[in-house]
Amino acid sequence: MKKIYILIVGLCLSAVSAGGQTKEVTIETNVGTMKGILYDDVSNHVRTFTDRAGKGLYNGTLFTRVIPDFMIQGGAPDSKNAPAGAQVGFGDRSAEILPEKSSAYFFKKGTIAAPRQNDEINPQKKSDMSQFFIVQGKVYREGELDTLQRATNLPIRRKAMAEFYQPRKATMDSLKTADPKEYNRLVVEINQKVDSVIRATPGHLLFSEIQKEAYTTVGGSHHLDGQYTIYGEITEGLHIIDRIANQPRDGYDRPKKDIRIIRVSVHE
């Protein structure tokens, strides 16, 4: 019996890996110490972060915004010596640099990234290097990721199918029994075209196998992927991220008990 292919778009994305790692970072806080690495292929962000850390600009600042199952953000200059309950963490527009986004990195737990102002006032998506955030995220079920992927891509897929499949539907219906080999060839051709449209359309969602493994084990915040520049990751002390993220907080998401950054140091 000849095999008949099903007309469906594959959603597999080739695996990606991190670039070389040449620097190590230590973030000491009053609730514990985190250690990590900085990526050498995000050079301007790493250089700027290293320079600010070397000048002690993050030392004595607070984690000003913490959201459980999402992230912790700290380092803002206006948080140093800030009175209890004050809204802080506004950053410094003069510390902005152009983004350096890489498809090799995604927002798994422990990711170190640069926050930024929203697109209306920052259309170039410049990074505010006066502060940083570290992802806590959540652990996803694999089926949950598949559902998110299908739901996000469905409108794109429908539009592409209307363009590449619907005009040929009658022909393909007749070929399915009359000439299965030609039918299968057309199915592959249409799938490739639809898949190409999905990948080329802004807002599509395709999880690689590496992403799936990370998001279903250590967790992360997949909706941030591609939106902010990632330049490092925490590799030791992931439980400190949890400790900080789960602090009682006020209406500004600032911890009610100050979580202070004692020292940030970068070394080879």
Side-chain angles (χ1 to χ4, degrees), residues 116-186:
R116 61 176 175 82
Q117 296 287 342
N118 60 47
D119 292 351
E120 282 108 10
I121 63 175
N122 179 28
Q124 291 181 293
K125 303 181 187 295
K126 290 182 177 180
S127 300
D128 176 8
M129 296 302 293
S130 73
Q131 50 188 323
F132 57 89
F133 71 92
I134 303 171
V135 168
Q136 181 194 35
K138 58 171 277 189
V139 176
Y140 294 86
R141 302 183 304 277
E142 186 162 351
E144 188 177 3
L145 294 178
D146 292 338
T147 298
L148 283 168
Q149 192 169 255
R150 285 194 298 269
T152 301
N153 296 330
L154 184 58
I156 308 171
R157 184 175 189 274
R158 282 176 173 167
K159 186 175 180 180
M161 289 290 284
E163 178 180 356
F164 298 115
Y165 172 65
Q166 290 303 326
R168 307 169 82 172
K169 184 179 184 303
T171 300
M172 293 190 68
D173 286 345
S174 64
L175 287 173
K176 194 169 186 178
T177 53
D179 190 348
K181 184 176 180 180
E182 177 62 11
Y183 173 84
N184 288 339
R185 188 191 70 77
L186 290 175

Side-chain angles (χ1 to χ4, degrees), residues 133-244:
F133 71 92
I134 303 171
V135 168
Q136 181 194 35
K138 58 171 277 189
V139 176
Y140 294 86
R141 302 183 304 277
E142 186 162 351
E144 188 177 3
L145 294 178
D146 292 338
T147 298
L148 283 168
Q149 192 169 255
R150 285 194 298 269
T152 301
N153 296 330
L154 184 58
I156 308 171
R157 184 175 189 274
R158 282 176 173 167
K159 186 175 180 180
M161 289 290 284
E163 178 180 356
F164 298 115
Y165 172 65
Q166 290 303 326
R168 307 169 82 172
K169 184 179 184 303
T171 300
M172 293 190 68
D173 286 345
S174 64
L175 287 173
K176 194 169 186 178
T177 53
D179 190 348
K181 184 176 180 180
E182 177 62 11
Y183 173 84
N184 288 339
R185 188 191 70 77
L186 290 175
V187 166
V188 171
E189 178 185 306
I190 291 171
N191 279 340
Q192 289 173 342
K193 289 180 178 179
V194 173
D195 189 54
S196 179
V197 169
I198 290 175
R199 294 174 187 275
T201 302
H204 75 275
L205 183 61
L206 296 171
F207 292 110
S208 70
E209 293 306 311
I210 291 177
Q211 287 174 305
K212 285 182 179 180
E213 181 179 1
Y215 287 143
T216 56
T217 53
V218 297
S221 294
H222 80 86
H223 63 283
L224 298 177
D225 289 343
Q227 301 300 311
Y228 301 84
T229 296
I230 296 170
Y231 55 91
E233 64 179 278
I234 297 299
T235 55
E236 297 180 40
L238 291 174
H239 64 289
I240 303 300
I241 301 173
D242 298 333
R243 187 176 298 170
I244 296 172

Side-chain angles (χ1 to χ4, degrees), residues 28-72:
E28 302 171 55
T29 80
N30 61 337
V31 295
T33 297
M34 297 172 280
K35 295 183 179 181
I37 55 177
L38 302 176
Y39 303 139
D40 68 350
D41 57 353
V42 195
S43 57
N44 196 28
H45 280 68
V46 170
R47 182 168 52 249
T48 303
F49 179 83
T50 300
D51 182 61
R52 294 184 69 87
K55 293 176 180 176
L57 297 180
Y58 300 124
N59 300 349
T61 63
L62 304 176
F63 279 96
T64 56
R65 184 172 177 240
V66 304
I67 303 177
D69 298 327
F70 183 30
M71 61 91 218
I72 59 176

